[in-house]
Amino acid sequence: MSADTAKTGVAAPEEAPRNSSGGRPGDQARHEGPSSNGPKRRGISAVPLPYLLIAPAIVAIGAVFAWPLVKTVIMSFQDMGRRELWSGDSPPWVGFEQFANVLGDSQFWSVTGRTVLFMVVCVGATMLVGLGLAMLMQRMSTWVRLLLTGALVAAWSMPLLVATSVFRWFADSDYGVANSLLSKLPGVDFQGHNWFINPWQGFTIIAAVVIWGAVPFVVITLYAALTQVPRELEEAAQLDGAGSFGVFRHVVFPVIKPVFQMVATLSVIWDFNIFGQVFLMRANKPEPEYQLLGIYSFQKAFESSSFSQGTAIALITVLLLAGVAVYYLRQLLKTGEVE
């Protein structure tokens, strides 16, 4: 009997014997799960499941975008004419001859400069008007904002053919609304004025169609971004003495900058590839002074029957736009590093 037993009169529980490793027999059972004693179950691995789920989308994208792009690249190094198209014969390989012919043509550079200028004007006007309307929507009452949003969505969803027809009627030389309204001004006579004789005036009407169709997307997207600007930061900047422009520059714009860059990049890509507005405005036969890169590539391929040269122009356009996309991705990554 131990000393503790003599004092308390209660026998202490007998200590369990220790195993060879120094621990009690139950310790190993408690630390090891029940699966450690039996064979491990091997189920179907869940790693390939995400790839299986996105496989249909990848196949669809490959069929719609990747394969035509591959065919375009191949055709640009060949000399495919009308004979090869109808007979099915393999066109001869000419290497970089098509690119040399395109880049050595002064008309190509004239069309490229015209396209860049048209794109800059359209994107600049679209972003300016879109940002202004988005900021104005913040100060509207709820029902006015809903009414404006409905009108923007209706304008955005209007088919291109309908929108172009409306603007053609608007600028018609005989029955156009623009000529009638301008002729009411004192000393102004625009009756019978043809807006498309002068390419600068004609591109003004075409730019109006492009801007009118692009503004709704910009307004709705930028308004959604403006709703994420903390009101407390604006109030703090105003208390520190910042004016309206200062608040926008140092508080509002840094918050909406990623969305603004995204919308601007998409606008550059869309406006650089303008085709339908010019083609429909000029009754499916655009004059040389109305040629943009899309029109120029189409006419080279189908009117001159130089399909390979048309694809070479299209490929050069893709490379130019790829540079814009790379710039946007770099800015996006820089924004992520700062945050």
Side-chain angles (χ1 to χ4, degrees):
M1 180 181 297
S2 63
D4 294 338
T5 305
K7 292 178 181 181
T8 60
V10 180
E14 185 176 356
E15 184 177 2
R18 297 178 178 271
N19 53 25
S20 59
S21 62
R24 295 182 178 86
D27 294 341
Q28 186 175 1
R30 286 195 298 269
H31 289 292
E32 296 180 5
S35 61
S36 62
N37 297 328
K40 296 181 179 180
R41 296 183 179 180
R42 299 181 62 86
I44 299 176
S45 177
V47 175
L49 182 59
Y51 300 100
L52 293 176
L53 293 176
I54 65 174
I58 294 176
V59 173
I61 292 174
V64 175
F65 295 103
W67 178 242
L69 181 59
V70 171
K71 292 293 292 183
T72 299
V73 174
I74 294 174
M75 191 182 299
S76 63
F77 291 97
Q78 297 174 334
D79 186 13
M80 176 174 282
R82 186 174 300 176
R83 184 179 63 84
E84 289 80 10
L85 181 65
W86 290 105
S87 64
D89 296 337
S90 179
W93 293 86
V94 295
F96 291 93
E97 181 180 340
Q98 302 294 350
F99 294 95
N101 293 334
V102 170
L103 297 177
D105 187 3
S106 59
Q107 186 181 3
F108 169 77
W109 294 108
S110 176
V111 172
T112 302
R114 188 183 302 124
T115 304
V116 172
L117 178 60
F118 180 79
M119 177 269 296
V120 170
V121 172
C122 289
V123 173
T126 300
M127 299 304 298
L128 183 63
V129 174
L131 181 60
L133 287 177
M135 297 182 67
L136 185 62
M137 288 178 66
Q138 289 186 300
R139 293 163 174 77
M140 294 179 179
S141 59
T142 303
W143 71 272
V144 175
R145 184 167 57 250
L146 292 176
L147 186 63
L148 178 59
T149 303
L152 290 172
V153 172
W156 192 18
S157 61
M158 183 175 293
L160 177 62
L161 180 61
V162 177
T164 307
S165 299
V166 170
F167 275 84
R168 284 188 64 184
W169 165 76
F170 183 80
D172 186 76
S173 57
D174 297 323
Y175 308 103
V177 178
N179 291 345
S180 299
L181 292 177
L182 291 174
S183 298
K184 295 182 180 299
L185 297 176
V188 178
D189 184 15
F190 267 78
Q191 293 296 336
H193 177 71
N194 190 342
W195 290 83
F196 293 96
I197 292 180
N198 186 338
W200 289 97
Q201 296 181 6
F203 270 115
T204 301
I205 304 299
I206 297 173
V209 183
V210 175
I211 296 169
W212 182 81
V215 161
F217 171 75
V218 176
V219 173
I220 295 174
T221 306
L222 291 183
Y223 173 73
L226 288 171
T227 58
Q228 304 304 312
V229 179
R231 187 68 61 182
E232 296 81 5
L233 295 180
E234 297 185 45
E235 294 176 354
Q238 291 174 352
L239 291 176
D240 290 340
S244 299
F245 180 75
V247 172
F248 174 79
R249 179 184 177 184
H250 298 289
V251 178
V252 177
F253 189 74
V255 176
I256 69 171
K257 183 178 179 180
V259 178
F260 187 89
Q261 288 179 333
M262 181 267 295
V263 174
T265 304
L266 292 176
S267 299
V268 168
I269 295 174
W270 291 336
D271 293 350
F272 201 84
N273 283 320
I274 287 298
F275 179 86
Q277 290 87 340
V278 181
F279 196 73
L280 294 173
M281 273 287 187
R282 301 312 304 137
N284 304 338
K285 294 180 180 179
E287 297 84 352
E289 57 268 19
Y290 284 97
Q291 286 183 348
L292 301 180
L293 273 176
I295 300 292
Y296 183 62
S297 174
F298 175 82
Q299 291 183 341
K300 280 289 184 181
F302 294 98
E303 293 186 5
S304 302
S305 299
S306 181
F307 302 104
S308 294
Q309 194 168 2
T311 56
I313 297 171
L315 189 59
I316 293 173
T317 305
V318 171
L319 293 176
L320 292 175
L321 293 178
V324 177
V326 169
Y327 172 78
Y328 167 68
L329 291 176
R330 290 188 61 183
Q331 296 299 317
L332 194 63
L333 292 176
K334 287 182 181 180
T335 303
E337 291 175 359
V338 172
E339 293 178 354

